[in-house]
Amino acid sequence: MKRTPLVVANWKMHGQKAWIESFIQSFIGEFCGSRQEQQCEVVLCPPHVFLAQVQALVQSSVVKLGAQNLHSENKGPFTGEVSAPMLQEFGCTHVVVGHSERRTLFGETDSDVAAKFNAACQAGLVPILCVGENAQERQAEVTEVVVQRQLDAVLKQHGIAAFAKAVIAYEPVWAIGTGNTATPAQAQDVHRFIRKYLAGFSRDIAEKVKILYGGSVKADNAIMLAGESDIDGALVGGASMNVKDFLAICAGFSGRQI
Ligand code: PEP
């Protein structure tokens, strides 16, 4: 089964127009035309207000555009929110749903996340579904229970077919922004569990779905993570804001085709 590696930059609430322009020009200058361009798919997820700018900067390259969040409805009286058709109109191909910061800081429930996942699919966007346990849950050895519950919320509402055009990101909350990257073995255990669990519903979809790892991925740990058979790429926060580091992460995952 061939799963082309995918590396996603989550810039969170960071960035300014000038920085974005210079980042993308340098990144495209190095990445496009290199060997990695054929071997690794890259998605940049800026804050919503910069989508148009990034759309224009990446449009003649292979680099794709994603959003960090969306509302589950297509339109309506939801002040401050952005819908899937709006993201689509700005050239987004992907959207992150259920990031742990949305779940913990903005109170998104599993069922909210499932509704957003569905809205993304309906608009033809690829949802990047974030799942993962917090430190207490890992200590209590309920990682698989938590991850299964988060997957079930989508499976029960939308079925396994919804995963045919989705990406999953395993992001242990204790590893996000902390510098405490999961070891490749720890990450692989959970990735394997996710794939095996989905295989119980459809072996074909489970084999095809990309499962990214996120949580303090850096230039120096990407290659080890990429060496694990069920880790198909990375969702990168902090290190995605440094061109050199982000290029090194993409290089780490390039060439890993299963
Ligand atoms: C993230 O924001 O999804 C993330 C993984 O952040 P960091 O790489 O900074 O841990």
Side-chain angles (χ1 to χ4, degrees):
M1 173 55 57
K2 190 167 133 176
R3 296 187 295 268
T4 305
L6 169 63
V7 177
V8 180
N10 174 15
W11 289 342
K12 311 195 187 198
M13 197 173 73
H14 295 292
Q16 289 167 315
K17 281 182 175 179
W19 175 83
I20 286 175
E21 185 169 349
S22 123
F23 180 100
I24 294 179
Q25 279 171 353
S26 320
F27 180 77
I28 286 181
E30 293 285 330
F31 181 77
C32 297
S34 73
R35 198 173 51 89
Q36 275 101 297
E37 184 182 0
Q38 322 295 332
Q39 298 176 328
C40 178
E41 195 184 352
V42 173
V43 177
L44 303 178
C45 300
H48 287 152
V49 291
F50 298 122
L51 286 173
Q53 184 195 7
V54 178
Q55 180 187 24
L57 287 164
V58 301
Q59 69 181 350
S60 49
S61 77
V62 294
V63 176
K64 294 183 176 150
L65 178 59
Q68 299 174 16
N69 183 32
L70 80 169
H71 194 275
S72 56
E73 297 290 330
N74 284 347
K75 60 181 178 181
F78 305 108
T79 302
E81 294 291 324
V82 169
S83 73
M86 293 172 187
L87 298 178
Q88 220 254 356
E89 201 180 348
F90 278 83
C92 288
T93 52
H94 292 70
V95 58
V96 177
V97 298
H99 190 282
S100 71
E101 286 154 15
R102 300 294 319 170
R103 292 178 189 263
T104 57
L105 304 174
F106 299 94
E108 289 187 12
T109 63
D110 288 338
S111 108
D112 295 333
V113 173
K116 289 179 179 213
F117 182 103
N118 188 46
C121 293
Q122 296 305 317
L125 298 170
V126 177
I128 301 171
L129 173 67
C130 299
V131 297
E133 81 290 358
N134 63 30
Q136 290 78 4
E137 291 162 339
R138 173 150 286 260
Q139 225 173 3
E141 298 181 4
V142 291
T143 296
E144 292 184 0
V145 176
V146 171
V147 169
Q148 184 176 323
R149 190 201 71 223
Q150 292 167 333
L151 294 172
D152 279 344
V154 175
L155 284 166
K156 285 189 180 139
Q157 282 197 37
H158 311 299
I160 186 67
F163 284 89
K165 292 201 175 116
V167 169
I168 297 170
Y170 168 58
E171 297 212 304
V173 181
W174 47 269
I176 297 178
T178 58
N180 299 327
T181 322
T183 64
Q186 280 174 322
Q188 167 62 19
D189 280 351
V190 183
H191 283 230
R192 187 194 300 112
F193 165 75
I194 293 171
R195 203 176 303 285
K196 213 169 142 202
Y197 184 61
L198 295 181
F201 298 87
S202 164
R203 285 179 69 120
D204 183 50
I205 290 174
E207 270 304 300
K208 286 183 183 145
V209 72
K210 290 181 195 181
I211 309 176
L212 314 183
Y213 168 78
S216 298
V217 175
K218 307 279 178 220
D220 57 4
N221 57 33
I223 199 146
M224 297 297 285
L225 290 159
E228 297 292 341
S229 60
D230 288 297
I231 302 183
D232 306 316
L235 177 51
V236 189
S240 73
M241 300 201 60
N242 178 295
V243 179
K244 228 171 118 222
D245 290 349
F246 192 58
L247 280 164
I249 292 168
C250 295
F253 281 93
S254 293
R256 185 197 164 286
Q257 305 222 346
I258 292 170

